[in-house]
């Protein structure tokens, strides 16, 4: 069974007084367990919208099509239930939450999932060990874990922290929205290693990026080009190289 | 002509005489209070200071004046509402309707704690310099009524240079037994001599199976030169309680008054705090948090009066209002003509959790000096949708995510209390309130 099956998905964003604005205009995409799919495309094409709609962010209306995760209708579930079912969105813009300690937040998230699975809460010591081990792997400093969620983190630190959370929550479907942007060259490698470590036969990934460089590290099985709310081309990893040299002109109708 | 007792409730017919063998100064004080109250009557919303807080409901309740004699309930009956502080770590005093029922016997030398009633009878000279002289109640009819009716309260006198080794914990219980509503007018006095330091903590709760209570308290506080008072209060009364509290503090040179008030329970609670900065380089911090819901009305009314130059003040309040709740914040700063180089800050932030929740903010600045630094800010907002989604996107159920954000909002100001058991006790009270709020939401949802 496909891990994620998107069929002819149409979605609008609620644009205040302007009313609903169509963003996704018929997206079909299938990710099987073990596969990594990359999505590339110009600014404003709808990449973040796609990841937001999959993860259940309020503010969007699905006007057509379906999204099935592991055989169940994802669109019927609230965002928190989707996450507990194994979905993880690494945010393009991680949110700062003053007053909520990073540790408390992660523990609450882990326990919410455990509770849903009928498992006991994680032992305090096990949790600390898990957090420390993952932090070390991703080059996240100890003092960052003591701070409130994302507060005072640099752009790159926020992205590392997203992958740290992902590693700790062990999702089955990872949506990474421009996790590479804001990372320096060394950090890119560290984060990519972190992501690669999570590649597994039963896990799928959707990696949104603007840069072919990330895909040198996280080698995708399929590359899609998303432009103006549609997937206009799919191919293997060589498509990313081609885009790097030619740009999106042929898909957007603009002059190169 | 209308019957004065009817238009001006709460004043017992027998009052006019006052207590028989009182010193003249005390009778004068009562008369002055009574005349202010009779002249102004129970404040209505037409009075600017009471614009957002109506006392009209009081007239419908057949309160009788507390005459003492109500026994203290068992500790176990109130333990859930009192600040969780181990009794051995504090000097603990229990008050019922504002009257101390027991007093610590192990206070260090230089610290005196007594019942106001006892002092008025046996040693009136001890309180005469302070009583009615710290608080200016000419514009406060309810405070003036307290002056007319006061019988008892707690008096804490700390001699110059004495630093109290443990906090004093006043466990103040409102209790109206046998279904009979009661009103009481406790009068408290706290005096710190020069260079003294003390922490006074108060838990205001309601006893089991209490009928309606009205606690109209006045506290007068004098902090001497170089003295430091930390004054932390939890208001955690039941829905039967109306609490009108007026605390006025006067500060001498380099004195500090660090007040924190957490209001979580009571039907109508007004915490009126007034500080007169009469000493150079004095500092007053009036901070606090509240959580109002289900027809609770919490009013914080502050007045910071910069009388002399070079003093500082900070007012910071944060509150959460859930369905049915109403919050009022009125903060006034006066900077007198001579009070140059005043540094006065005020901030109020309210978080509305429901469309059926209200918060009113009224900042007032009266500045007569020219070289001052004063700031004020007020926000009334809702939970941040992006933060909420971020938490939910990690699998945290919506109710828990909201609770985390609410707690973070309140904890932020509770952390004005320095790290330690006192801060932990206040954080624990916030958490217990959250749990109760949560539980009742589930009931409604079910
Ligand atoms: N809340 C909103 N209100 C109005 N328009 C919106 C809203 N959210 C997204 N849009 C619009 O939807 C379109 C798609 O946005 P989206 O963020 O999905 O693009 P993207 O492909 O992720 O772009 P980028 O590469 O810049 O991150 C854009 O034109 C954007 O302006
Ligand atoms: Mg985007």
């Amino acid at each position: 069974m496909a891990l994620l099956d998107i069929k002819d998905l149409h979605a609008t964003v609620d644009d205040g007084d302007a009313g609903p604005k169509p963003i996704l205009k018929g997206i079909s995409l299938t990710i099987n367990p073990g596969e990594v799919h990359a999505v590339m495309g110009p600014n404003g094409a709808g990449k973040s919208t796609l990841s937001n709609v999959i993860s259940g962010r309020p503010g969007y209306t699905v006007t057509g099509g379906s999204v099935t995760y592991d055989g169940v209708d994802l669109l019927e579930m609230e965002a928190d239930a989707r996450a507990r079912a194994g979905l993880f969105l690494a945010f393009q813009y991680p949110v700062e939450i003053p007053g909520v300690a990073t540790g408390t937040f992660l523990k609450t998230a882990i326990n919410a999932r455990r509770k849903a699975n009928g498992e006991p809460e994680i032992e305090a010591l096990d949790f600390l060990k898990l957090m420390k081990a993952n932090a070390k792997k991703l080059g996240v400093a100890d003092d960052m874990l003591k701070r409130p969620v994302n507060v005072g983190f640099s752009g790159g630190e926020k992205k590392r922290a997203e992958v740290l959370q992902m590693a700790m929550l062990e999702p089955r479907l990872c949506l990474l929205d421009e996790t590479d942007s804001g990372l320096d060259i060394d950090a890119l490698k560290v984060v990519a290693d972190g992501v690669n470590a999570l590649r597994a036969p039963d896990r799928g990934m959707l990696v949104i990026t603007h840069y072919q460089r990330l895909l040198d590290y996280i080698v995708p099985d399929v590359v899609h080009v998303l432009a103006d709310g549609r997937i206009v081309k799919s191919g293997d990893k060589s498509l990313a190289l081609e885009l790097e040299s030619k740009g999106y002109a042929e898909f957007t109708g603009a002059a190169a | 002509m209308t019957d004065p007792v009817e238009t001006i409730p709460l004043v017992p017919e027998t009052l006019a005489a006052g207590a028989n063998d009182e010193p003249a100064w005390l009778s004068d004080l009562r008369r002055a209070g009574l005349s202010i109250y009779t002249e102004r009557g129970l404040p209505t919303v037409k009075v600017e200071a009471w614009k957002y807080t109506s006392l009209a409901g009081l007239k419908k309740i057949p309160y009788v004046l507390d005459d003492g004699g109500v026994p203290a309930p068992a500790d176990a009956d109130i333990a859930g509402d009192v600040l969780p502080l181990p009794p051995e770590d504090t000097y603990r005093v229990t008050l019922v309707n504002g009257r101390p029922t027991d007093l610590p016997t192990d206070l260090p030398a230089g610290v005196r704690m007594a019942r106001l009633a006892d002092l008025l009878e046996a040693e009136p000279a001890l309180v005469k310099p302070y009583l009615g002289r710290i608080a200016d109640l000419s514009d406060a009819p309810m405070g003036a009524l307290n002056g007319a009716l006061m019988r008892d309260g707690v008096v804490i006198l700390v001699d110059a240079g004495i630093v109290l080794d443990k906090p004093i914990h006043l466990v103040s219980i409102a209790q109206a037994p046998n279904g009979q509503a009661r009103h009481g007018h406790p009068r408290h006095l706290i005096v710190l001599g020069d260079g003294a330091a003390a922490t006074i903590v108060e838990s205001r709760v309601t006893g089991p199976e209490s009928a309606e209570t009205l606690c109209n308290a006045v506290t007068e506080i004098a902090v001497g030169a170089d003295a430091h008072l930390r004054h932390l209060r939890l208001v955690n009364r039941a829905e039967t309680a109306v609490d009108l509290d007026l605390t006025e503090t006067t500060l001498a040179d380099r004195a500090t008054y660090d007040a924190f008030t957490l209001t979580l329970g009571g039907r109508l609670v007004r915490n009126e705090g007034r500080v007169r900065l009469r000493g150079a380089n004095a500092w007053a911090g009036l901070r606090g948090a509240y959580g109002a819901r289900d027809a609770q009305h919490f009013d914080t009314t502050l007045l910071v009066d910069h009388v002399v130059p070079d003093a500082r003040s900070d007012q910071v309040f944060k509150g959460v209002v859930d369905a049915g709740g109403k919050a009022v914040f009125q903060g006034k700063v006066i900077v007198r003509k001579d009070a140059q180089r005043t540094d006065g800050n005020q901030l109020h932030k309210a978080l509305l959790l429901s469309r059926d929740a209200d918060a009113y903010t009224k900042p007032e600045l009266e500045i007569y000096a020219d070289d001052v630094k004063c700031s004020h800010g007020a926000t009334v907002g809702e939970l941040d949708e992006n933060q909420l989604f971020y938490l939910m996107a990690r699998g945290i159920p919506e109710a828990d995510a909201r609770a985390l954000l609410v707690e973070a909002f309140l904890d932020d100001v509770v952390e004005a209390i320095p790290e330690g058991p006192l801060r932990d006790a206040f954080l624990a009270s916030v958490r217990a309130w959250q749990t109760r709020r949560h539980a009742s939401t589930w009931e409604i949802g079910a």
Side-chain angles (χ1 to χ4, degrees), chain B residues 35-64:
Chain B
S35 85
I36 293 165
Y37 180 73
T38 34
E39 197 177 296
R40 302 198 176 211
L42 205 60
T44 70
V45 292
K46 288 185 201 123
V47 180
E48 187 59 29
W50 293 85
K51 190 172 170 184
Y52 302 107
T53 297
S54 169
L55 298 181
L58 296 187
K59 291 191 212 159
K60 296 186 207 118
I61 300 167
Y63 294 111
V64 300

Side-chain angles (χ1 to χ4, degrees), chain A residues 56-58 79-80 83-84 88-89 91 95-100 105 109 112 149-150 162 165, chain B residues 384-398 400 404-405 407-409 411-412:
Chain A
R57 187 175 199 135
D80 55 317
R84 289 194 299 275
F88 184 95
L89 170 64
F91 284 56
V95 181
E96 297 190 7
I97 312 185
V100 178
F105 159 68
V149 178
N150 291 323
E162 291 292 287
Q165 291 177 29
Chain B
D384 184 311
E385 288 299 323
N386 287 324
Q387 294 178 347
L388 195 59
F389 174 65
Y390 192 78
L391 296 173
M392 289 176 68
R394 299 298 178 248
I396 300 172
E398 182 169 350
D400 296 340
L404 262 180
L405 294 176
E407 207 164 300
F409 179 80
D411 286 0
D412 176 57

